[in-house]
Amino acid sequence: MSGTRVVGIDGCPAGWIAVSISPEGPIEPEIRIVSRFADLIEAAENTVLAVDMPIGLPDFIGPEGRGPERLVRKRLGERQSSVFSVPCRSAVMTEDYREACAVAAAASDPPRMVSKQCFHIFPKMREIDALMTPALEARIYEVHPELAFWRLNGEAAMSLPKKVKSRPNPAGLDQRRELLVRHGYEARHLANPPRGAAADDLLDAAANALIARRLYRGEGESFPAEPARDSKGLRIAIWA
């Protein structure tokens, strides 16, 4: 497909799943897996990229945490556990879990360890951090799928979880799929994730693409409204 595109992106076992749609009009998505986030940046037609991955890493974490997570959790009710606490940049750059916990605890007040779930996405966080510059912020935005579904669901959190005890929850996946269909996707678009991605990865990326549309139109909301910046000058905000 050619022409201007906006893209919703989620991490997946094979790398990144990207759902690319036009900024306006009917939805006919292009769904693909890429191994490098840089490939998505380099595609000139990708005008806005909305990615479920922390961007902007503080050097120190205070009582309020990184910032955006606390604000987002308030809106997600029973889904708030899906929002991981992000540690300082030096912890994210650490490849050993125990060392990462020690570094994170030393750079936070009160001292905080690193959750295993967050540690597992450190490689992707490092990949984006190595690429990001303040100039790229005009195109690349941090989002969170459950906040995206909250926005699409009339600012109400989804009532069912996507996973139960780390296993897919069919009822929760169906609930999100039905919501996306109400927003313009067809069921066939969301039926079969490509090899290397799970069903929830596809749904999350599809929801993020709709937030990318909002961002393209200048309708995106930043949490917080006035983002702080890290030592690289990157804003620290989640958008919806």
Side-chain angles (χ1 to χ4, degrees), residues 15-152:
W16 304 90
I17 180 169
V19 174
S20 169
I21 61 177
S22 62
E24 304 285 351
I27 292 177
E28 189 60 48
E30 175 186 294
I31 302 168
R32 64 184 181 126
I33 301 283
V34 299
S35 60
R36 301 187 320 135
F37 192 79
D39 292 339
L40 298 169
I41 299 176
E42 291 164 4
E45 68 273 14
N46 292 345
T47 56
V48 173
L49 296 92
V51 57
D52 174 23
M53 199 58 58
I55 300 172
L57 303 172
D59 292 329
F60 186 86
I61 304 295
E64 300 296 323
R66 177 171 167 258
E69 289 82 4
R70 178 179 58 86
L71 298 173
V72 168
R73 289 190 189 107
K74 289 180 178 180
R75 289 157 174 80
L76 297 185
E78 294 182 2
R79 305 283 78 79
Q80 64 181 278
S81 62
S82 66
V83 183
F84 303 150
S85 294
V86 178
C88 63
R89 169 173 275 111
S90 55
V92 173
M93 299 303 154
T94 304
E95 298 184 10
D96 176 80
Y97 178 66
R98 289 186 179 180
E99 184 181 352
C101 284
V103 171
S108 56
D109 182 22
R112 291 186 180 90
M113 303 297 188
V114 179
S115 71
K116 279 289 182 70
Q117 296 99 322
C118 190
F119 178 74
H120 289 319
I121 65 171
F122 276 10
K124 286 185 168 60
M125 291 171 65
R126 291 193 290 264
E127 182 181 354
I128 289 184
D129 189 64
L131 295 166
M132 276 301 297
T133 65
L136 282 173
E137 290 178 350
R139 298 177 60 207
I140 301 173
Y141 297 78
E142 176 184 345
V143 297
H144 190 284
E146 286 305 306
L147 189 66
F149 285 118
W150 166 86
R151 177 69 76 193
L152 299 173

Side-chain angles (χ1 to χ4, degrees), residues 152-165:
L152 299 173
N153 196 39
E155 299 186 2
M158 304 304 287
S159 63
L160 300 173
K162 284 184 296 190
K163 292 184 177 180
V164 176
K165 296 182 179 179

